[in-house]
Amino acid sequence: MYFSVIIPVYNRPEEIKELLESLLDSDYAKKYEIVIVEDGSTISCKEIVETYTNKLTISYYYKENSGPGDSRNFGMKMAKGDYFIIFDSDCIIPKHYLTEVEKELSTTYVDCFGGPDKALASFSDIQKAINFAMTSFLTTGGIRGGSEKINKFQPRSFNMGISKKAFQSSNGFGNIHPGEDPDLSIRLWNLGFKTRLFSKAFVFHKRRIDWEKFSIQVNKFGKARPILNNWYPKYNKLTYFFPSVFIIGFTIALFLSLFGIFIPIFGFVFYYILIFFVSSINNGSIKIGFLSVIAVSKQFFGYGRGFLESYLKITILKKKPEVVFPELFFKTKS
């Protein structure tokens, strides 16, 4: 089996440097290639990539901007391998990663897998708080942390693998973003392919975003989900409604407290206290515990509002997704 590591990048050369440095430390003994796809960047990583060409097997391509999904497809078309491993540019790869992936594929082969993400000690406090919100079992992010059913896992494109056969059969990622990864997973299931979680094949995911960008990101996640539910109603889950139910319940609890009914709001206060203590213990920092309360609030309220808006426009009013949410769709180029 020959791995091709596919990495799309947009205006983030320093991230590519960190990612490639981490791959230099890999304990994987077999040959593999790295395919860097510059997605119309104005700040190129070409010079950085060139400094690694004598250390790693790397191909570099520059293309017109068309989004991460299409860039991954472009990279897989250019790749020489028979199994593709896809990373976001803001990932740092543990030395055991490729060895672990080969071990899993040799034991129980699947045509598509995904792995969880973790935070490094060197990450900023905000990055660690966002990582907690996106991976903790106390939030909807638990599925990214590895708690989703192992044999019915929807891989996330910051850390996933797909066979050449599955890519060619499915034509890869669609033009929705975010949401392109669950869209691909479901189409693969419908084609008869299986997906699986490789719980030990984790990456360190930096997520170089501030609070505002994080809120925008999770809001887009919320908008994308009713679109996917509309496309694939068979795979709709009640858990997708949870952030919206949370913010509606929180609003009702605040309203009731104005009339002296405090029990509902105490439930939410208890939940936030639990978030604070669990994050503080996990991260060894009271400050990160406090920031995690902010991160979880932004996750729920951003996602929940996006979901409700999309549910109204897509599910109830039957509007066309590309028309009401053009920001979620890229024009396919490759």
Side-chain angles (χ1 to χ4, degrees):
M1 187 178 299
Y2 185 67
F3 292 140
S4 292
V5 176
I6 314 296
I7 308 167
V9 58
Y10 180 72
N11 287 341
R12 293 190 174 177
E14 290 304 315
E15 290 184 351
I16 289 297
K17 183 178 180 180
E18 287 184 314
L19 200 162
L20 293 177
E21 277 293 327
S22 68
L23 286 173
L24 277 177
D25 292 332
S26 174
D27 62 12
Y28 189 62
K30 297 181 181 179
K31 291 183 179 181
Y32 67 96
E33 68 166 344
I34 301 168
V35 180
I36 307 289
V37 182
E38 191 95 64
D39 186 27
S41 299
T42 57
I43 307 174
S44 173
C45 69
K46 185 177 181 180
E47 290 186 5
I48 288 177
V49 171
E50 288 175 346
T51 65
Y52 289 88
T53 54
N54 294 328
K55 307 171 187 177
L56 296 164
T57 303
I58 305 179
S59 300
Y60 171 87
Y61 298 95
Y62 183 94
K63 53 176 277 298
E64 185 179 349
N65 179 256
S66 59
D70 188 57
S71 296
R72 298 180 195 112
N73 291 343
F74 180 94
M76 288 186 278
K77 289 176 182 177
M78 298 295 112
K80 300 180 178 68
D82 51 18
Y83 209 102
F84 308 129
I85 296 176
I86 301 167
F87 299 131
D88 279 356
S89 63
D90 59 351
C91 290
I92 296 173
I93 315 305
K95 63 185 300 182
H96 73 278
Y97 181 93
L98 293 174
T99 301
E100 182 64 33
V101 168
E102 183 175 70
K103 177 183 175 182
E104 289 279 1
L105 290 174
S106 299
T107 303
T108 307
Y109 181 87
V110 286
D111 285 282
C112 183
F113 75 87
D117 57 326
K118 298 186 178 183
L120 276 171
S122 60
F123 285 10
S124 72
D125 290 343
I126 290 179
Q127 286 172 334
K128 291 175 182 177
I130 290 175
N131 180 78
F132 178 85
M134 297 295 283
T135 62
S136 174
F137 70 94
L138 292 173
T139 73
T140 56
I143 54 176
R144 300 172 72 105
S147 64
E148 189 174 298
K149 290 181 179 179
I150 290 177
N151 292 317
K152 203 65 174 177
F153 185 66
Q154 294 183 6
R156 274 67 178 176
S157 50
F158 66 86
N159 174 17
M160 70 174 292
I162 180 172
S163 70
K164 183 175 182 179
K165 178 182 178 181
F167 168 65
Q168 291 177 336
S169 298
S170 64
N171 293 319
F173 295 95
N175 66 333
I176 188 172
H177 176 74
E180 72 273 24
D181 22 27
D183 170 62
L184 175 57
S185 294
I186 293 171
R187 286 190 286 110
L188 287 173
W189 294 341
N190 290 339
L191 289 168
F193 293 102
K194 294 182 179 180
T195 62
R196 191 159 64 89
L197 170 67
F198 290 2
S199 58
K200 294 181 180 179
F202 61 86
V203 299
F204 300 109
H205 195 188
K206 269 202 162 182
R207 296 190 184 90
R208 291 188 175 179
I209 49 180
D210 54 29
W211 288 129
E212 182 180 0
K213 291 179 180 177
F214 179 59
S215 296
I216 293 172
Q217 182 186 59
V218 293
N219 183 259
K220 286 184 176 180
F221 289 157
K223 289 177 180 177
R225 180 52 67 179
I227 296 173
L228 295 171
N229 291 346
N230 186 59
W231 289 351
Y232 310 108
K234 177 182 175 182
Y235 299 100
N236 195 354
K237 296 180 181 179
L238 288 176
T239 52
Y240 297 148
F241 291 80
F242 179 71
S244 298
V245 172
F246 182 93
I247 64 174
I248 292 172
F250 186 82
T251 302
I252 293 173
L254 280 179
F255 178 76
L256 291 175
S257 68
L258 297 176
F259 298 92
I261 304 174
F262 297 108
I263 292 178
I265 200 66
F266 285 159
F268 287 93
V269 170
F270 175 79
Y271 174 74
Y272 278 122
I273 291 173
L274 188 63
I275 291 289
F276 171 78
F277 277 108
V278 172
S279 179
S280 296
I281 293 169
N282 287 353
N283 290 287
S285 168
I286 291 176
K287 179 182 177 182
I288 296 174
F290 173 74
L291 291 173
S292 295
V293 171
I294 298 175
V296 170
S297 295
K298 288 185 176 293
Q299 180 193 34
F300 279 0
F301 281 84
Y303 185 105
R305 286 195 303 268
F307 186 96
L308 287 172
E309 180 186 359
S310 183
Y311 186 83
L312 172 64
K313 293 179 178 179
I314 303 301
T315 306
I316 297 178
L317 299 180
K318 307 295 183 183
K319 294 187 176 182
K320 189 175 181 180
E322 294 86 349
V323 175
V324 292
F325 299 121
E327 70 274 18
L328 301 183
F329 295 88
F330 281 94
K331 293 182 178 179
T332 301
K333 301 287 185 181
S334 66

